[in-house]
Amino acid sequence: MAEIEVIEADTLHQSGSWLFEGVDHGDVGLSFFLIDSLPGAGPELHAHPYTEVFVVHEGEATFLVGDESLVAVGGQVVVAPADRPHKFRNSGLGRLRMTNLHPSARTITRWSER
């Protein structure tokens, strides 16, 4: 039987986000980012070999998924298909807080050149 693990979020902190990778915690088949960003912040265009699910808790994010642009706000969920280039930015006036779920024990990111 696996041990129960409690992780302090601060130990997962990277600039503006927190990263949990399941491979580091008993090879859990899930990884995720906890995002807490200021207006204008967000990653460059990239893709994953699996579907990514974004749970927007607070604020506003503008997403580009493939050729489609959309705005999501707190209380909404965005699903980016596998291998589809995507990015988001905090397009609101306040903080953006969301959880980005990766159904993989390790995040696998291919950064785009455009």
Side-chain angles (χ1 to χ4, degrees):
M1 179 180 231
E3 295 293 322
I4 296 172
E5 183 177 11
V6 176
I7 303 159
E8 295 295 328
D10 287 346
T11 64
L12 306 173
H13 190 259
Q14 302 179 348
S15 61
S17 66
W18 293 258
L19 172 60
F20 171 92
E21 287 199 292
V23 70
D24 298 330
H25 304 279
D27 210 23
V28 173
L30 175 75
S31 297
F32 61 86
F33 286 93
L34 300 177
I35 304 295
D36 183 0
S37 69
L38 295 172
E44 297 297 320
L45 195 65
H46 63 282
H48 310 285
Y50 45 77
T51 299
E52 182 174 7
V53 177
F54 303 87
V55 181
V56 182
H57 302 289
E58 178 183 335
E60 175 184 288
T62 297
F63 288 84
L64 178 64
V65 181
D67 294 328
E68 186 176 349
S69 179
L70 61 102
V71 175
V73 296
Q76 294 183 316
V77 175
V78 175
V79 179
D83 297 313
R84 187 88 45 96
H86 61 276
K87 66 180 181 176
F88 65 87
R89 70 177 174 80
N90 179 346
S91 54
L93 299 175
R95 299 193 84 81
L96 171 63
R97 291 188 172 93
M98 71 178 169
T99 303
N100 303 357
L101 302 164
H102 296 243
S104 174
R106 183 181 307 280
T107 54
I108 303 167
T109 303
R110 293 185 308 276
W111 296 99
S112 299
E113 296 179 13
R114 56 172 174 152

